[in-house]
């Protein structure tokens, strides 16, 4: 198969379409919603009107042949603003969980409902992390117990760091069904709209991505129908039986299956933030004069910009490779998904800091957008697996050794 880095006409059109929305709708609202720390409903509604926030867009780009549709769209949208971008795409994480773990019938029922309609968009939330567990999914405490009398699952526990948590119409919750099996004794559940026993806990006031709602989700005797178990009871029982026998299940733990599918897309988000800061710093350096000449004429500034551009392009190639591999069924034999997220996240932090340095004192004020971009960038070394967790995954994969 020939290798080409040239985008197709459809990919170029997608890139231009999302970029235009980011430039015309997202960027003008970015500062306001960062200051207000509120969900940008008006922007989400505009995205729904043009089809950017919809199941059709999610499905079409997820199954696009090269696998680059989602990364291309993510980069452009997050070039506009990371907080608003995450408010728009946060639902797709829950949708990815249902797609990864659910039956075809469950995917058909729940994924469209997560996005709603053009005139009435909805939100969904993926709830995996817990206050005392973090990256240690084996320490998860949220329990799901089957009630044979009512044919329901009863959920109890607290989730944290949930994007759209508590304000979403649909929640996807990962819970322990067999405590003795630790991480291999988990299952994922859909909690339908209006279910009693689920409510929002603490809303977090964050360093960055402040237009994206992040909160605790508390489950107290939360009862859901038996068919809300993703994948169904028969498959769960088979998987647990194999796990009890000490055999490998052949199937990734539910939370990890979701993260594996989304890491290249998260890397693309980080690249969008980095590129936005680089673009701003480059234009600033061309126009800002000191000692009678533009500061870009100084090697220290020019070399910094050269490093920024090189890092961004290198990170993008890792993301595109991982996205192509995932779409074409290639195994991540060296944890290529984690590589892409690791490099892209750390590139975003480094590039946004360099952009602030180029702007000097101006870069440290909220009057200039690179300050917000630097705050937004930091999350990409933390969520969906910290940089340290990505290195652990990579190290274990390439060595075959259970490194702690």
């Amino acid at each position: 198969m020939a290798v080409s880095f040239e985008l197709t006409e459809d990919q170029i059109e997608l890139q231009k379409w999302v970029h235009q929305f980011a430039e015309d709708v997202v960027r003008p609202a970015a500062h306001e919603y960062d200051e207000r720390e509120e969900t940008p409903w008006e922007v989400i509604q505009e995205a729904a009107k043009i089809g950017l926030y919809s199941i059709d867009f999610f499905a079409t780009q997820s199954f696009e042949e090269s696998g680059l549709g989602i990364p291309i769209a993510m980069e452009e949208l997050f070039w506009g603003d990371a907080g608003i971008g995450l408010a728009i795409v946060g639902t797709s994480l829950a949708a990815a969980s249902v797609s990864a773990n659910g039956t075809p019938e469950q995917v058909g029922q729940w994924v469209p409902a997560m996005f709603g309609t053009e005139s009435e968009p909805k939100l969904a939330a993926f709830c995996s992390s817990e206050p005392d567990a973090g990256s240690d999914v084996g320490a998860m405490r949220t329990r799901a117990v089957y009630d044979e009398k009512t044919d329901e699952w009863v959920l109890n526990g607290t989730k944290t760091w949930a994007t759209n948590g508590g304000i979403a119409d649909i929640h996807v919750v990962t819970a322990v069904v067999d405590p003795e099996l630790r991480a291999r004794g988990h299952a994922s559940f859909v909690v339908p709209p209006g279910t009693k026993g689920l409510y929002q806990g603490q809303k977090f006031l964050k360093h960055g991505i402040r237009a994206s709602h992040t909160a605790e989700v508390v489950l107290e005797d939360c009862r859901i129908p038996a068919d809300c178990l993703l994948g169904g009871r028969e498959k769960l029982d088979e998987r647990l039986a194999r796990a009890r026998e000490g055999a490998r299940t052949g199937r990734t733990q539910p939370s990890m299956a979701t993260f594996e599918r989304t890491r290249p897309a998260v890397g693309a988000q980080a690249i969008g933030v980095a590129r936005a800061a680089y673009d701003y710093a480059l234009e600033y350096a061309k126009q800002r004069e000191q000692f009678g000449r533009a500061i870009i004429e100084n090697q220290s500034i020019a070399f910094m910009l050269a490093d920024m551009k090189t890092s961004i392009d290198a990170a993008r190639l890792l993301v595109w490779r991982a996205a192509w591999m995932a779409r074409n069924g290639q195994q991540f034999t060296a944890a290529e998904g984690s590589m892409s997220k690791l490099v892209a996240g750390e590139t975003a932090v480094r590039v946004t800091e360099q952009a602030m340095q180029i702007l000097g004192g101006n870069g440290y004020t909220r009057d200039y957008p690179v300050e917000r971009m630097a705050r937004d960038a930091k999350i990409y070394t933390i969520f969906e697996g910290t940089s340290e967790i990505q290195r652990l995954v990579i190290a274990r994969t390439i060595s075959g050794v259970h490194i702690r």
Side-chain angles (χ1 to χ4, degrees):
M1 178 180 176
V3 176
S4 174
F5 295 105
E6 185 177 5
L7 299 183
T8 66
E9 290 185 7
D10 287 345
Q11 289 168 339
I12 292 172
E13 284 302 310
L14 170 67
Q15 190 178 53
K16 290 180 178 178
W17 176 56
V18 180
H19 184 88
Q20 198 67 50
F21 179 80
E23 187 170 38
D24 295 346
V25 181
V26 174
R27 281 206 164 180
H31 177 76
E32 175 187 354
Y33 280 104
D34 178 71
E35 292 285 333
R36 287 165 54 181
E37 299 193 50
E38 295 178 0
T39 300
W41 280 107
E42 294 85 353
V43 182
I44 293 173
Q45 289 167 346
E46 289 300 314
K49 286 180 183 178
I50 67 169
L52 180 56
Y53 184 82
S54 70
I55 179 54
D56 289 337
F57 175 79
F58 173 76
T60 300
Q61 298 309 324
S62 292
F63 293 101
E64 185 260 346
E65 185 175 0
S66 71
L68 300 185
I70 291 293
I72 288 170
M74 289 287 188
E75 179 177 337
E76 298 307 320
L77 183 60
F78 282 70
W79 173 89
D81 179 66
I84 293 178
L86 195 58
I88 293 173
V89 307
T91 290
S92 63
L93 185 59
S97 179
V98 174
S99 298
N101 300 296
T103 65
E105 293 76 17
Q106 288 172 326
V107 174
Q109 177 183 2
W110 293 113
V111 175
M114 290 178 173
F115 291 92
T117 63
E118 178 182 314
S119 59
E120 191 176 357
K122 304 292 185 181
L123 296 177
F126 178 64
C127 308
S128 178
S129 296
E130 296 190 0
D132 297 322
S135 296
D136 182 7
V137 295
M140 190 177 292
R141 293 291 178 265
T142 298
R143 289 293 308 277
V145 178
Y146 179 65
D147 186 339
E148 294 183 359
K149 294 181 180 179
T150 61
D151 194 28
E152 295 174 317
W153 287 91
V154 184
L155 278 59
N156 281 282
T158 300
K159 295 295 183 178
T160 193
W161 310 119
T163 299
N164 297 333
I167 66 171
D169 296 276
I170 296 171
H171 292 74
V172 177
V173 177
T174 303
V176 178
V177 293
D178 189 331
E180 294 182 0
L181 295 175
R182 290 179 59 80
R184 296 169 73 187
H186 293 177
S188 290
F189 301 84
V190 172
V191 181
T195 300
K196 294 181 180 179
L198 182 150
Y199 58 92
Q200 179 184 313
Q202 176 187 3
K203 177 185 175 180
F204 295 105
L205 302 178
K206 305 188 299 295
H207 177 66
I209 54 168
R210 286 159 42 165
S212 173
H213 176 92
T214 309
E216 289 182 332
V217 173
V218 180
L219 302 137
E220 291 186 351
D221 292 329
C222 180
R223 290 180 170 269
I224 57 176
D227 60 8
C228 286
L229 166 65
L230 290 178
R233 184 61 185 267
E234 183 178 346
K235 287 188 177 180
L236 173 63
D237 288 342
E238 291 175 357
R239 181 165 60 84
L240 294 178
R242 289 196 298 270
R244 292 187 190 103
E245 293 168 2
R248 296 184 64 85
T249 65
R251 185 179 178 193
T252 307
Q253 190 273 338
S255 291
M256 295 301 100
T258 301
F259 292 140
E260 286 175 4
R261 292 169 67 94
T262 58
R263 273 173 182 153
V266 174
Q269 296 172 14
I271 292 167
V273 177
R275 199 184 98 212
Y278 161 78
D279 287 348
Y280 197 94
L282 177 61
E283 290 306 309
Y284 183 91
K286 289 179 180 178
Q287 298 172 14
R288 176 69 167 175
E289 291 190 358
Q290 289 284 292
F291 304 105
R293 63 179 183 179
I295 62 173
I296 198 170
E297 296 180 33
N298 298 312
Q299 278 192 0
S300 59
I301 301 296
F303 286 5
M304 196 182 301
L305 287 161
D307 287 341
M308 292 160 71
K309 173 64 172 172
T310 302
S311 297
I312 291 168
D313 284 9
R316 184 185 296 111
L317 289 174
L318 282 174
V319 166
W320 283 12
R321 180 185 67 169
W324 179 87
M325 291 176 69
R327 177 64 185 89
N328 288 278
Q330 301 290 318
Q331 294 294 317
F332 286 169
T333 57
E336 288 86 352
S338 289
M339 285 184 183
S340 68
K341 197 264 184 182
L342 169 65
V343 173
E346 297 202 340
T347 294
V349 170
R350 183 172 60 254
V351 167
T352 53
E353 287 181 351
Q354 289 172 321
M356 288 180 66
Q357 192 71 19
I358 289 171
L359 267 68
N362 288 334
Y364 199 65
T365 70
R366 293 208 298 268
D367 294 330
Y368 290 78
V370 294
E371 180 271 342
R372 183 182 69 250
M373 294 167 186
R375 286 189 285 106
D376 291 343
K378 184 57 189 172
I379 194 62
Y380 291 99
T381 64
I382 298 174
F383 76 170
E384 293 203 42
T386 63
S387 289
E388 291 71 29
I389 288 295
Q390 306 306 329
R391 289 184 170 92
L392 184 63
V393 171
I394 296 165
R396 287 176 174 175
T397 304
I398 63 176
S399 69
V401 176
H402 186 69
I403 299 166
R404 295 181 180 274

